[in-house]
Amino acid sequence: MTTIKDIAQAAGVGVGTVSRVLNGTGYVSEETRQRVWEAVERFHYVPNGAARTLVTKRSMAIGVVLHDLTNPFVPTLARGIEDEARRHGYTIMVLDTDWQPENELQTVTILRQQAVDGVILVSPAHGELLAGKFQDVNLPVIVVDHGDASGRSHITVDHYHGARKALEWARQQGHSAIGFLAGPRSLRFADLRLRAYLDNIGQTDLPLEEVDQHEELPIARADFLFEQGRLAAETLLRTHPEVTCLFAANDLSALGALRYLAQQGIAVPGQVAVIGFDDIFVSSLVHPTLTTIRQPTYDIGVEAARQLLQRLRHPDQPIEQRVFDLTLVVRESC
Amino acid sequence: MTTIKDIAQAAGVGVGTVSRVLNGTGYVSEETRQRVWEAVERFHYVPNGAARTLVTKRSMAIGVVLHDLTNPFVPTLARGIEDEARRHGYTIMVLDTDWQPENELQTVTILRQQAVDGVILVSPAHGELLAGKFQDVNLPVIVVDHGDASGRSHITVDHYHGARKALEWARQQGHSAIGFLAGPRSLRFADLRLRAYLDNIGQTDLPLEEVDQHEELPIARADFLFEQGRLAAETLLRTHPEVTCLFAANDLSALGALRYLAQQGIAVPGQVAVIGFDDIFVSSLVHPTLTTIRQPTYDIGVEAARQLLQRLRHPDQPIEQRVFDLTLVVRESC
DNA sequence: CTGAAAGCGCTAACAT
DNA sequence: ATGTTAGCGCTTTCAG
């Protein structure tokens, strides 16, 4: 393995000088600079990152902790992070926690040991706790949360107004009886979408906890799942035949609903319209294509990386927060 | 920052001893071992990986070079790699090349500098070249290729027989006029699937290059794309009305075909059946659900990591190759 | 402008 | 069984 010493020798200079030209620091005469670069090229020399990290305390690597790579959002978001990080010479270490809290905690030790310069948490299960742990060991951390707008989270999206947009569109299309396929309970962003729905149908004062007791409301739990979406659509349309439009809390359950309607031979959007939330890749491929609310997933990734790198450069600048807007994507289903 | 020295001092022993208990090497009396661990816990001490890497020449990190994280296969495969790597204490550095050859070459320098212990290339654009470059700098490399079974590639799948299985199933279902929605030309695994099709329809002697000149064959190029699949289905059914089954070279184009059929009100599989290849996530969500050939993507990832780690442990053992079988997944469309 | 030297935190002999 | 010491390859004073 060729080291800085070999280069110094080959170029007939001291190692200090080689280091200076490599890093572009301090003064080096044009001529020696040339000689050094020549030697570097000739030996295909690449500085040893570990040695560098040891002295500079910077590894040029950032950790990305995410709950599940195979979840539709995550790869897109991760790409945003990777692209932005790479642009600034950083490399990412990806840790998949598979939603397990114990795995989440493990990442602290792993990333500390790997000496990353900072970390991005993507929709962590226990964000507060985990972010705290990282801060305790002085690792700058950015929390990206498609779901939560509270506390330490710095990047998220405006679920409430996104849902409102969907509902307004549905009403513009002439739908007055709109059913809701709700997400899991007490998941914060599921709650925000539900709140938007309730407000839209005039149930401004109804607390979220009491929703289940009001069977007269056209709401069914689909828990963000395809199969549950299918079943919820069935239930809802049977108990509330007046409904002409289904608004699903996420695309996956909207797809389930679409499935049910197709099987029943119910025309979409002719007899029943469907509108989703998320705009996952699939939504443009099904028949009919799904009208939905799009999350700027890639941009969120870029923004997360941008903020982190910014923080690495200027550790004491105030923390930025950012809430992304959501946009309506009109397709065939509504 | 607390170092091994602090621990040594706190435990009243030398740094060597601390190192020994941390790594479980050499003899240490039970009693001192205890004292050391106590100090470690008390200080929440985590060894500095960079320092360790510098002396041991092992970073416990492996590089994963992939062409596009957002490509349906990749996240699943990456998870397989990550899970297996983590099980053995390794962390992965993910580099996305976005199919750009110049980005691929860059990864060599980046990963060399980051001092990874080995690398996995996932369907690289220029696999031979890239693998060579890594080997030149003594980095063990495993090539995972959904597409190619030649040369240095160590892990791939049996496209030819997979396609044969699909076709045999179609014939068992009573289809004798089967059309083919082909992938891009001269992509090796696209070729293998096409070859399987030609052999199945009795065109054993027809060279792949001449396929386009034989318009009497029910073959249309769909280039693995959704939109092209839609168009190819249209063309094919118009020029070859006798066709009762469409076999698509990949799921995405099969989905496109499904789309066209739905728009035309053609019953699937009643009037025309469809069969795909890959089993991407979406395929089970569309209506009708897609019958297809499944690639064991996650397992391939695990296997790739397993082989790499194996090689890191025993550098001089012979290289393993592995070809995965493909399985037919029967759903509604055929 | 540039060379020499002192570490960065750790492991792995080498003594004892 | 354990303390001491010599580097690992690099950056960064500090002289000159």
Side-chain angles (χ1 to χ4, degrees), chain A residues 230-295:
Chain A
R230 210 168 66 91
L231 298 173
E234 178 172 10
T235 309
L236 200 50
L237 290 176
R238 209 177 27 231
T239 54
H240 296 269
E242 75 281 7
V243 162
T244 61
C245 175
L246 294 174
F247 175 38
N250 78 337
D251 278 4
L252 213 50
S253 53
L255 260 25
L258 236 34
R259 188 71 188 288
Y260 169 73
L261 297 169
Q263 286 176 328
Q264 296 298 309
I266 300 175
V268 179
Q271 293 174 263
V272 174
V274 176
I275 192 162
F277 202 116
D278 285 345
D279 194 29
I280 59 181
F281 170 65
V282 219
S283 302
S284 61
L285 303 186
V286 293
H287 178 79
T289 51
L290 189 66
T291 294
T292 187
I293 297 294
R294 171 178 297 163
Q295 305 212 35

Side-chain angles (χ1 to χ4, degrees), chain A:
Chain A
M1 187 189 170
T2 119
T3 75
I4 199 174
K5 236 172 170 169
D6 302 322
I7 302 301
Q9 200 157 30
V13 300
V15 293
T17 303
V18 176
S19 176
R20 265 163 253 153
V21 344
L22 251 29
N23 298 291
T25 56
Y27 294 81
V28 182
S29 77
E30 191 47 41
E31 192 212 320
T32 35
R33 188 191 307 282
Q34 293 273 300
R35 282 219 311 287
V36 169
W37 276 122
E38 264 170 39
V40 167
E41 305 279 279
R42 188 146 51 87
F43 286 71
H44 299 295
Y45 169 71
V46 173
N48 178 318
R52 212 173 234 186
T53 299
L54 189 55
V55 29
T56 61
K57 271 103 177 64
R58 300 193 309 128
S59 61
M60 299 306 280
I62 64 181
V64 177
V65 176
L66 37 82
H67 52 77
D68 179 11
L69 255 179
T70 63
N71 185 83
F73 286 117
V74 176
T76 308
L77 205 144
R79 265 222 60 172
I81 294 174
E82 219 267 311
D83 287 354
E84 178 70 6
R86 185 94 75 94
R87 250 173 251 136
H88 297 266
Y90 281 80
T91 308
I92 65 170
M93 309 210 75
V94 173
L95 301 185
D96 193 311
T97 66
D98 199 25
W99 291 109
Q100 307 297 314
E102 62 268 32
N103 285 343
E104 283 194 350
L105 289 184
Q106 266 205 23
T107 63
V108 181
T109 306
I110 297 176
L111 291 178
R112 202 142 77 99
Q113 186 146 342
Q114 289 287 355
V116 296
D117 296 334
V119 2
I120 294 175
L121 307 179
V122 179
S123 301
H126 296 163
E128 286 297 303
L129 179 66
L130 195 56
K133 295 256 183 219
F134 277 112
Q135 289 190 337
D136 288 348
V137 296
N138 285 316
L139 272 178
V141 46
I142 299 283
V143 180
V144 179
D145 204 328
H146 272 276
D148 191 294
S150 72
R152 242 196 225 82
S153 300
H154 300 148
I155 302 175
T156 186
V157 298
D158 190 348
H159 299 275
Y160 182 84
H161 287 100
R164 292 298 296 243
K165 280 186 196 175
L167 289 158
E168 278 152 26
W169 171 255
R171 295 205 182 279
Q172 274 176 42
Q173 297 307 103
H175 298 286
S176 51
I178 302 172
F180 187 62
L181 305 183
R185 0 189 28 174
S186 72
L187 191 58
R188 183 168 160 93
F189 65 106
D191 283 348
L192 287 169
R193 297 176 190 179
L194 175 55
R195 183 74 264 164
Y197 172 75
L198 292 175
D199 290 356
N200 182 270
I201 63 171
Q203 295 289 342
T204 323
D205 298 330
L206 182 65
L208 296 176
E209 306 76 45
E210 293 176 19
V211 166
D212 288 339
Q213 298 152 31
H214 288 259
E215 299 192 353
E216 79 281 7
L217 296 176
I219 298 177
R221 292 265 170 209
D223 287 341
F224 283 169
L225 302 172
F226 179 85
E227 191 54 26
Q228 295 300 314
R230 210 168 66 91
L231 298 173
E234 178 172 10
T235 309
L236 200 50
L237 290 176
R238 209 177 27 231
T239 54
H240 296 269
E242 75 281 7
V243 162
T244 61
C245 175
L246 294 174
F247 175 38
N250 78 337
D251 278 4
L252 213 50
S253 53
L255 260 25
L258 236 34
R259 188 71 188 288
Y260 169 73
L261 297 169
Q263 286 176 328
Q264 296 298 309
I266 300 175
V268 179
Q271 293 174 263
V272 174
V274 176
I275 192 162
F277 202 116
D278 285 345
D279 194 29
I280 59 181
F281 170 65
V282 219
S283 302
S284 61
L285 303 186
V286 293
H287 178 79
T289 51
L290 189 66
T291 294
T292 187
I293 297 294
R294 171 178 297 163
Q295 305 212 35
T297 311
Y298 179 83
D299 295 337
I300 293 175
V302 171
E303 174 67 13
R306 197 191 63 71
Q307 282 194 24
L308 180 58
L309 299 183
Q310 174 81 12
R311 188 106 70 84
L312 294 183
R313 213 179 294 285
H314 310 288
D316 24 52
Q317 273 188 14
I319 282 167
E320 304 174 60
Q321 304 237 149
R322 172 117 180 227
V323 178
F324 278 84
D325 271 343
L326 266 25
T327 54
L328 174 71
V329 180
V330 176
R331 297 208 185 89
E332 297 166 355
S333 71
C334 179

